[in-house]
Amino acid sequence: METPQHSKDARRAGEAHPSIGDWETCAADPQYRAAVLDLLGALAYGELSAFERLAEDAKLAPSLEDKAALAGMAAAEFHHYQQLHDRLVGIGADATEAMQPFAEPLDAFHRMTAPADWPEGLVKAYVGDSIAADFYREVAARLDDDTRSLVLAVMSDTGHAEFAVEKVRQAIEAEPRIAGRLALWGRRLMGEALSQAQRVVAERDALSNLLIGGTEVRGFDLVEVGKMFNRITEAHTKRMAALGLAS
Amino acid sequence: METPQHSKDARRAGEAHPSIGDWETCAADPQYRAAVLDLLGALAYGELSAFERLAEDAKLAPSLEDKAALAGMAAAEFHHYQQLHDRLVGIGADATEAMQPFAEPLDAFHRMTAPADWPEGLVKAYVGDSIAADFYREVAARLDDDTRSLVLAVMSDTGHAEFAVEKVRQAIEAEPRIAGRLALWGRRLMGEALSQAQRVVAERDALSNLLIGGTEVRGFDLVEVGKMFNRITEAHTKRMAALGLAS
């Protein structure tokens, strides 16, 4: 999704690298193959769990229109899940097995960040969607052409950002005192997201190598991972400011 | 949805009547127009609330595959909702206003029948989907051609029935003692559905007239409504027996 708030750094990361070939060529390297299976598994479970959370948050909607809007976003996430699932099956992977390692970290993130009300749910949808888009953009550049097209397709706008931004602004205008609570909430979301992401990075070597520099990098480069997390955090900070929330 | 368990009566009701004309012609009668707005509003809210319940029940799924299957059904219900919503807007209605009268009865039905576990959720999905299909079939015959095409399109199979039947049979085979509890559960679902339906029929005159004999019938014919409910109950009884559950 393309919003003005996305940082230049994150955007550059997605465009600066030349093609590394198609899936057939790249998948000959077992470490690359393992990394892409991890990536698609993580994204697929992420979409399925985004579906669940949006459907859950739809209950907090103050009106039937808002409820339907969130349900529509949930349905869009499900279709992304379906595409990722089908690709996993298409390249001969067991989709469930590929998703399983990411179920617990993602479930933990959602458990720790259950929104208490409608504005918290909106901020979470916005922040979550934007961090996911930044992450996809970071990783897209390091992927073979086929996997990259898929990743860019599933990061296509589901309408979260615009809807959430507009509704959060309205909510703050109507009741300015909630801004402080929502700013804290945004910080907590980012903190929990980073802590679960670091857990995944520490546990999944192939995926981490892919994230920090492609298959040529062996070993775990903490500095590069830190830089990526920093870029994503900076983009988050700018978006929260644009929303009228100090981060 | 076409399953062998659908009663002949219910099927006949959907096929026996000749065309009454297209929407433009029929909508000239304000009572017919009001009845169709009610019907589309009820169906739209029904689909939106089916979306919510399926998404909620997905949490009870014992495996990632089952969770994804339910999420997919929920997404399909959302697309039905979208079609009904768009039609309401297309014929100049306020979709929210059309849905509103049915929100409380449908919410009450779901509140009274929250499944306690995965097999109860499956039986509810199956029973609910089948009753809805019977009801659509009863009503389709009394509709103008345009509204009928839409109603038949949104009653198209979302895959609930086959999936639920297979899984419920597996669950009973694995643990035969749950059959008694599930049979009671099926009876309770039907009871609650009828009680909410009767409430709607009593409150919505235009819709009730449409259900029991088209626009030419004025006044509230309790005998005809009773017959329709009987046909739907009989079809339900046969389906529960086919599932290995006494009703």
Side-chain angles (χ1 to χ4, degrees), chain A residues 45 48 51-52 55-56 58-59 64-65 67-68 71-72 74-75 78-79 81 96 99-100, chain B residues 45 48 51-52 55-56 58-59 64-65 67-68 71-72 74-75 78-79 81 96 99-100:
Chain A
Y45 194 84
L48 192 55
F51 163 87
E52 276 195 291
E56 178 81 19
K59 284 190 214 157
L64 257 173
E65 287 96 336
K67 188 195 283 283
F78 178 78
H79 295 301
Y81 159 78
T96 303
M99 287 190 277
Q100 208 68 67
Chain B
Y45 194 83
L48 193 55
F51 164 87
E52 277 193 290
E56 179 80 19
K59 283 189 215 158
L64 257 174
E65 286 96 335
K67 186 194 285 283
F78 178 78
H79 295 300
Y81 158 78
T96 302
M99 287 190 277
Q100 208 68 66

Side-chain angles (χ1 to χ4, degrees), chain B residues 170-181:
Chain B
Q170 282 172 9
I172 296 174
E173 256 172 53
E175 206 177 346
R177 67 184 180 81
I178 68 171
R181 173 165 65 87

